[in-house]
Each structure stands twice: as structure tokens, then as C-alpha cells.
Amino acid sequence: MTAARFITLEGGEGVGKSTQLRRLVERLRERGLEVVETREPGGSPGAEAIRRLLLEGADERWTPEAEALLFAAARADHVARTIRPALARGAWVLCDRFLDSSLAYQGGAGGLGVEAIRSLHAVGSRGFLPHRTLLLELGAADAARRLSVRDAGGSDRIGGRGDDYHADVAAAFSALAEAEPDRFRRIDAQGDVDQVTERLLGAIKDLL
Ligand code: TYD
């Protein structure tokens, strides 16, 4: 049997992450694998409660430090209650965002620095890392176009931040991928959905 794997999808707003995660889950299930599909912030009852604190309300609701701690607390609960137990029983876990989002958003764009975020993760989740992280990348103009279609109803506290913030997020993600080439695969999110799904599958082929 294929060893259980923890795979994360990362990227900025509007890159098609959630759609692609669903498609990837389906493709793995077709192969007979048990797959747990989850997301952050959230993925366990406690973490879903924290998600509402993080994504609702005014942008200035939390200081950058408190925001980073809340993400780390949500992740600690998610790892302990959902991810580790699933892997222990042999299931694959596919997660929409994980630690790298905190590194890019709070650490990079938010200015706290990646080392501070890694320390929070060391305490909260004992430094637990994915076997593979798939970074979906799209030019800023294309991402904005996709978002304007999807978010006609308005975006959340963090998604609604300015273009400079989101450009810093994208730069931070690409630096993270450069620094950890064994764990990361950079995926071009341009093109039709089927093509992108094939690229993602190709990037985990060695784990199957
Ligand atoms: P979500 O609705 O899941 O957005 P998306 O579809 O873009 O994934 O909202 C998650 C938001 O929270 C998104 O703006 C990214 C942000 N975020 C962080 O800032 N840090 C984190 O550690 C995580 C997991 C998410």
C-alpha cells in the first residue's frame, strides 16, 4: 500500500487552489486511496471557531502578533485532532493552505518575519511539515481577474488587503519555494482546469 502522505496546496488569492484541491482529491480517490480533504484556517471544530475570529470583522481587529498566534493556535488544533490521526490510520491528507500561508502572509507581507512564525509552529504543532507543498502561481493581473468574478460579494479580512500586501505574499511564497526545493513544487496555474490538475498530479507522482 502507498504510504500515507500529507500534501498542501498554497498560493495567493484567486489562483484556483480550492477547485484544484477538490479535483486532486477525486483523482486520488479513483486510485482507491482514502483521502481526507481539509483546509486552513479550520479543519477541526476548534480551528473552525478560530477561523471566524480571523476572517470576520475589520482589518484592524487583531494586531499582527495576535493574528499570527490565532493562526498558529488553529493549526495546532487541526494538526492534533484531524491531520495526525488521519495519517496514523493510513489516509492521505490534502489541505488547502497550511504553515506556508502563515510564513508568506503574517511572516512576509505582515512583517513579523518567517523565523518568528516558525517558532510559533514549533510550539503549536511541534514543527510538523507536509511531505509535499504544491504552490500554484498566477500573474497578479490574472489572479485579480479571477477574483473579481468569484468575489462579487466582497472578500474577507485578509483577502481584502491591498495590492501591495498581496504582491508581498506572492514574493514570499516564491522565496519559500526556492529555499525548500525538496518539499515544494511550483505549478503554473495558467491554462484550463484539466491541464492544471495534470500538472499537480505530475508533481506528486513520485509519492504514489
Ligand atoms: P479563505 O476563504 O480560505 O481564502 P482562499 O480561498 O484564498 O484560501 O481564507 C483564508 C484567508 O486567510 C486568505 O486570505 C489567506 C489567509 N491566511 C493567512 O493569512 N494565514 C494563514 O496561515 C492561512 C492559513 C490563511
Side-chain angles (χ1 to χ4, degrees), residues 34-164:
E34 183 193 348
V35 184
V36 172
E37 179 182 357
T38 187
R39 66 158 180 193
E40 289 209 344
S44 63
E48 290 290 333
I50 298 174
R51 176 185 175 92
R52 289 190 285 280
L53 297 175
L54 276 162
L55 299 185
E56 292 170 8
D59 189 16
E60 63 279 11
R61 181 176 188 185
W62 305 108
T63 63
E65 291 79 7
E67 179 177 295
L69 284 160
L70 284 168
F71 275 113
R75 184 162 302 125
D77 194 68
H78 184 210
V79 167
R81 303 277 166 81
T82 302
I83 300 174
R84 285 191 195 271
L87 293 170
R89 66 169 190 267
W92 282 50
V93 178
L94 264 65
C95 188
D96 188 343
R97 298 192 181 282
F98 190 67
L99 170 69
D100 300 291
S101 280
S102 282
L103 295 172
Y105 283 77
Q106 285 67 48
L112 294 181
V114 296
E115 287 319 313
I117 304 300
R118 286 193 206 282
S119 317
L120 300 185
H121 190 59
V123 175
S125 305
R126 293 184 234 157
F128 187 69
L129 287 178
H131 295 102
R132 178 78 30 94
T133 297
L134 305 170
L135 174 62
L136 279 167
E137 295 185 297
L138 199 62
D142 285 322
R145 203 172 315 119
R146 288 199 197 176
L147 270 182
S148 65
V149 177
R150 185 187 81 170
D151 283 348
S155 65
D156 58 59
R157 254 187 87 244
I158 296 174
R161 288 174 184 167
D163 292 348
D164 287 354

Side-chain angles (χ1 to χ4, degrees), residues 168-183:
D168 289 347
V169 167
F173 271 131
S174 75
L176 291 168
E178 292 298 309
E180 275 186 81
D182 286 346
R183 177 163 68 90

Side-chain angles (χ1 to χ4, degrees), residues 21-37:
L21 186 90
R22 221 173 307 123
R23 294 171 65 89
L24 203 51
V25 167
E26 277 167 21
R27 296 292 291 270
L28 295 178
R29 284 185 182 150
E30 282 166 11
R31 289 172 166 257
L33 297 174
E34 183 193 348
V35 184
V36 172
E37 179 182 357

